[in-house]
Amino acid sequence: MNKPTKRTVKMIFQNKIQHDDHTDSYEFTTRGELYHKGNQDYLRFEEALTETESVQTTMKWDGRELMLIRQGTVLMRQAFISGEESLGRYVTPDASWETKAVTDKVLVTWPTRKQRGKIHIKYRFLLQGQDAGQHEVRLTLEEDH
């Protein structure tokens, strides 16, 4: 059995949320691990929420579905498939909500030695049936040598 080869990547994570006439956006830079296991590719990184709270984020890609798994102060599991709706869950220490993503676009390109990779997800997000806006997530990935 082959052991998955892990590569360290530098990444820029950008999120833009359009809700009614209001736009929120945030960006952070971090390092992550990219590896292949079975028929899927995984990207794992840590997201700092505050100085004391963080979330371990894993993105699992099988060529069609991008599964977002966040574990830590916030627990979240949400699938994204271009042109489809998918159910998920968002859990905080105080509450648990059903989520739904109506995904317009999922684009995944892994980095190579010479080229940057990217993940681009565009979706309408619903939390417990309530519209939580149009989300656009962009990750720029670069091999860290």
Side-chain angles (χ1 to χ4, degrees):
M1 184 161 148
N2 287 352
K3 191 169 190 270
T5 305
K6 290 188 178 182
R7 301 184 296 174
T8 302
V9 292
K10 288 189 282 189
M11 50 183 272
I12 301 166
F13 183 104
Q14 299 168 299
N15 190 7
K16 187 168 82 175
I17 303 166
Q18 181 82 36
H19 195 269
D20 298 328
D21 58 355
H22 182 73
T23 301
D24 279 323
S25 58
Y26 66 93
E27 179 178 313
F28 63 89
T29 302
T30 189
R31 281 185 159 62
E33 284 184 334
L34 180 60
Y35 60 97
H36 185 81
K37 187 175 168 186
N39 293 328
Q40 301 179 326
D41 293 302
Y42 293 82
L43 174 64
R44 181 174 285 156
F45 59 93
E46 196 162 314
E47 188 180 340
L49 300 178
T50 65
E51 283 186 22
T52 56
E53 298 176 323
S54 68
V55 173
Q56 183 73 37
T57 300
T58 302
M59 292 181 154
K60 185 168 72 169
W61 174 246
D62 67 5
R64 180 177 168 266
E65 176 187 271
L66 183 69
M67 176 62 77
L68 174 68
I69 303 160
R70 297 170 80 201
Q71 296 172 293
T73 310
V74 170
L75 298 173
M76 183 178 179
R77 192 172 179 88
Q78 182 68 58
F80 301 97
I81 303 167
S82 282
E84 293 189 22
E85 288 183 11
S86 47
L87 296 177
R89 186 147 285 297
Y90 186 87
V91 181
T92 67
D94 304 320
S96 173
W97 295 282
E98 181 182 273
T99 59
K100 185 193 293 185
V102 181
T103 307
D104 297 328
K105 175 184 199 169
V106 177
L107 176 70
V108 177
T109 312
W110 298 123
T112 61
R113 291 194 184 284
K114 296 185 174 85
Q115 210 170 342
R116 286 182 168 179
K118 65 181 168 196
I119 297 175
H120 185 188
I121 317 165
K122 194 171 183 181
Y123 60 98
R124 166 88 37 207
F125 195 58
L126 290 96
L127 201 55
Q128 212 56 26
Q130 298 296 308
D131 185 1
Q134 180 74 30
H135 291 234
E136 189 163 8
V137 176
R138 290 176 187 268
L139 280 74
T140 305
L141 309 167
E142 196 174 299
E143 286 211 27
D144 195 8
H145 302 292

